[in-house]
Amino acid sequence: MTQVFEQSIQINATAAIVERCITDLGLMHRWLNPALRCEPIGEVWSTEIGSQSSFIIQVPVVKPTLKSVVVERQPGLVVWEFQGFFQGRDRWECQPVAKGTCLLNRFEFVIPNPIVSWGFNNFAASWTKQDMQAQLRRLKRVAEEVQIGQ
């Protein structure tokens, strides 16, 4: 069964700056959950279509990893498709509004393993939603700091 977690936040920064916070790996690591690390697969980080990366959960010993590939890319839009214990897409869309940008994050996924699915739904789903909200708040703070510094 496909699950969808969708959240948005109003950011007082231009869509170009918000997009930069998503596409610049250094800025991304300022707002990602500290337990999550993103690394390029290959030598260079990119968000162009076909670019691959690993999102690694920093849990001792296990370090679950989602391998992802950029499957959709336009100005203000990056969509990663991933395979691993989750299968699905993570969509980041910057929508310019009167006073900045509305950033929409849509996490759409299935968990093929029924045991992992049961564990996620009973123990981690609410934490994941809260973490997505916290990430958006951190991204907002980073983007607004970059905007002020311009």
Side-chain angles (χ1 to χ4, degrees):
M1 178 176 75
T2 299
Q3 296 185 63
V4 177
F5 296 170
E6 185 173 284
Q7 300 180 15
S8 63
I9 194 166
Q10 173 75 30
I11 301 174
N12 297 319
T14 65
I17 286 176
V18 174
E19 178 179 3
R20 193 168 127 218
C21 290
I22 297 165
T23 61
D24 178 297
L25 191 57
L27 290 174
M28 179 190 281
H29 279 128
R30 288 179 53 192
W31 58 263
L32 268 180
N33 180 318
L36 188 60
R37 191 175 75 239
C38 180
E39 297 178 348
I41 295 176
E43 295 180 23
V44 180
W45 164 258
S46 174
T47 57
E48 296 305 311
I49 290 179
S51 298
Q52 297 181 26
S53 54
S54 294
F55 287 86
I56 305 156
I57 299 172
Q58 301 298 300
V59 196
V61 184
V62 182
K63 295 196 180 187
T65 301
L66 285 175
K67 300 213 185 274
S68 67
V69 61
V70 177
V71 294
E72 195 174 340
R73 183 71 171 96
Q74 298 173 23
L77 175 68
V78 182
V79 180
W80 279 277
E81 187 171 270
F82 47 87
Q83 300 291 323
F85 50 95
F86 287 99
Q87 295 177 359
R89 291 184 170 205
D90 195 16
R91 178 185 185 90
W92 294 83
E93 185 174 355
C94 302
Q95 302 168 340
V97 294
K99 292 189 176 185
T101 305
C102 178
L103 176 62
L104 174 69
N105 179 214
R106 179 182 172 92
F107 183 48
E108 185 173 340
F109 62 96
V110 295
I111 304 173
N113 181 312
I115 295 168
V116 174
S117 181
W118 180 87
F120 176 81
N121 289 323
N122 286 287
F123 301 106
S126 63
W127 175 84
T128 300
K129 290 176 187 176
Q130 290 171 0
D131 185 58
M132 287 175 67
Q133 291 171 341
Q135 279 193 151
L136 287 177
R137 288 190 301 270
R138 288 190 301 267
L139 194 152
K140 172 184 172 73
R141 187 178 64 243
V142 170
E144 290 175 354
E145 287 172 3
V146 171
Q147 179 75 44
I148 290 168
Q150 296 260 319

